[in-house]
């Protein structure tokens, strides 16, 4: 008996300018470009991207996945070149430029373009360019996704929400690292499994509201994400669960085993 084939694909918005989808997306395209493409901001975003998001993707124990880095066609050429250079030679990643359009339409077109019609299932995940997933995230998604979809045998989407993780709060004087267990899904650490060819993907609904629309499996066995809090966050971080349940020693163990990080490098980050 042949195992069901499950294709895993992520879409990351890298300073993507669009109609809808984030706090300033109702501003004109020109106003968005002036804010998003400001050199100081772009330097901060690239550093966050390289040190957290991209690092965590390249460290995945399972590299059998695809990830699209979605940019707007108007992104200045020097930033396009820089991003493509960072991804060059790494098989899972590709940079895709889209025109200014409604955000979900752009995201859906990225997923649709990569769908393997020969696969039985399609698993979509999301990751912001300033956050991390743990090194075994893809491995765990692969081990659980098809089983969960088969339990719910009506072909409807199923969401996997990994709700345990860590926060890095980047301050002007000091950085703070603490643990959290969320009650509702974050933008990081969630995935959706559907039958290949389905219309839905992990961006179909606001991540916090996913359990109201889709059957959702919540996993809190181990830390699955590190989310950064900093001056450029699009929205004010809100906690829906419990934070600071662990001592410093336990957090240090999670940093090392799940993310291959040390507290000292996070405390110094940005300094």
């Amino acid at each position: 008996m042949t195992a069901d084939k499950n294709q895993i694909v992520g879409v990351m918005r890298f300073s993507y300018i669009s109609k809808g989808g984030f706090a300033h997306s109702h501003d004109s395209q020109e106003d968005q470009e002036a804010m998003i493409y400001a050199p100081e901001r772009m330097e901060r975003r690239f550093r966050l991207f390289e040190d957290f998001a991209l690092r965590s993707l390249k460290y995945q124990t399972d590299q059998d996945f695809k990830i699209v880095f979605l940019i707007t066609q108007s992104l200045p050429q020097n930033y396009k070149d820089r991003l493509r250079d960072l991804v060059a030679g790494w098989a899972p990643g590709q940079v895709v430029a889209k025109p200014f359009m409604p955000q979900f339409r752009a995201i859906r077109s990225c997923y649709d373009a990569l769908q393997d019609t020969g696969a039985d299932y399609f698993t979509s995940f999301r990751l912001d360019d300033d956050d991390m997933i743990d090194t075994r995230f893809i491995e765990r998604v692969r081990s659980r996704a098809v089983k969960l979809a088969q339990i719910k045998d009506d072909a409807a989407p199923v969401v996997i929400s990994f709700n345990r993780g860590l926060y890095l709060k980047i301050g002007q004087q000091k950085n703070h690292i603490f643990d959290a267990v969320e009650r509702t899904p974050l933008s990081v650490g969630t995935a959706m499994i559907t039958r290949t060819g389905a219309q839905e993907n992990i961006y179909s609904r606001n991540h916090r509201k996913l359990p109201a629309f889709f059957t959702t499996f919540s996993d809190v066995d181990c830390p699955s994400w590190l989310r950064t809090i900093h001056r450029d966050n699009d929205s004010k971080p809100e906690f829906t669960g419990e934070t600071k349940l662990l001592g410093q020693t336990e957090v240090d163990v999670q940093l090392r085993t799940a993310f291959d990080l040390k507290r000292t490098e996070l405390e110094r980050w940005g300094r």
Side-chain angles (χ1 to χ4, degrees):
M1 183 176 179
T2 303
D4 290 307
K5 182 177 179 180
N6 176 29
Q7 184 188 17
I8 301 177
V9 178
V11 172
M12 178 189 296
R13 301 161 297 179
F14 186 84
S15 295
Y16 181 69
I17 292 172
S18 64
K19 298 177 183 178
F22 65 102
H24 294 276
S25 57
H26 298 293
D27 296 345
S28 69
Q29 180 177 357
E30 293 75 17
D31 287 344
Q32 289 186 51
E33 289 174 354
M35 180 190 71
I36 298 297
Y37 299 159
E40 298 84 359
R41 180 192 177 279
M42 290 302 298
E43 286 302 316
R44 292 193 298 270
R45 298 309 290 200
F46 266 103
R47 186 171 182 192
L48 287 163
F49 173 70
E50 292 179 54
D51 291 349
F52 297 107
L54 185 60
R55 170 176 171 164
S56 71
L57 291 165
K58 289 188 172 181
Y59 279 21
Q60 289 300 301
T61 55
D62 182 344
Q63 289 284 305
D64 183 18
F65 68 97
K66 298 294 184 184
I67 177 78
V68 170
F69 302 102
L70 174 61
I71 62 174
T72 316
Q73 289 176 348
S74 63
L75 183 69
Q77 190 63 45
N78 61 315
Y79 297 134
K80 289 179 182 176
D81 293 341
R82 183 173 173 180
L83 181 60
R84 289 182 172 127
D85 286 345
L86 289 169
V87 177
W90 179 55
Q94 63 176 274
V95 178
V96 174
K98 295 286 183 181
F100 182 77
M101 64 168 73
Q103 179 177 234
F104 185 70
R105 188 195 304 170
I107 289 170
R108 182 172 167 183
S109 69
C110 291
Y111 283 124
D112 289 348
L114 287 178
Q115 283 216 20
D116 177 2
T117 57
D120 302 289
Y121 292 96
F122 184 83
T123 297
S124 57
F125 73 96
R126 58 181 294 175
L127 176 64
D128 289 340
D129 61 10
D130 55 353
D131 296 329
M132 296 185 84
I133 48 176
D134 79 284
T135 58
R136 293 183 57 245
F137 178 80
I138 298 296
E139 178 186 334
R140 283 201 311 281
V141 167
R142 190 178 306 284
S143 70
R144 290 161 171 76
V146 172
K147 296 174 185 176
L148 292 172
Q150 291 175 339
I151 290 173
K152 194 173 189 309
D153 58 3
D154 58 2
V158 177
V159 171
I160 308 173
S161 174
F162 295 96
N163 285 352
R164 182 180 295 278
L166 300 171
Y167 280 91
L168 168 63
K169 186 175 182 180
I170 302 168
Q172 291 184 343
Q173 304 298 325
K174 185 178 180 181
N175 296 342
H176 299 276
I177 306 106
F178 57 92
D179 63 290
V181 181
E182 297 281 352
R183 288 198 304 270
T184 56
L186 285 176
S187 58
V188 57
T190 59
M192 175 186 287
I193 181 169
T194 66
R195 286 286 183 176
T196 298
Q199 302 299 306
E200 297 89 353
N201 61 62
I202 195 61
Y203 285 92
S204 292
R205 298 284 181 176
N206 178 288
H207 54 88
R208 291 293 194 185
K209 298 179 181 179
L210 285 167
F213 296 95
F214 304 105
T215 297
T216 302
F217 175 79
S218 176
D219 186 318
V220 295
D221 286 346
C222 59
S224 294
W225 42 263
L226 186 146
R227 186 184 181 196
T228 63
I229 303 174
H230 53 85
R231 60 185 289 186
D232 295 319
N233 285 130
D234 181 53
S235 57
K236 183 179 179 181
E238 295 181 358
F239 307 110
T240 64
E242 302 292 333
T243 63
K244 302 178 182 177
L245 298 174
L246 303 180
Q248 178 173 316
T249 300
E250 294 170 293
V251 170
D252 289 349
V253 170
Q254 292 189 354
L255 283 171
R256 184 178 66 255
T257 58
F259 305 98
D260 194 25
L261 290 171
K262 295 180 180 179
R263 174 181 292 272
T264 51
E265 63 184 301
L266 292 184
E267 289 176 337
R268 292 195 303 263
W269 194 90
R271 301 295 182 263

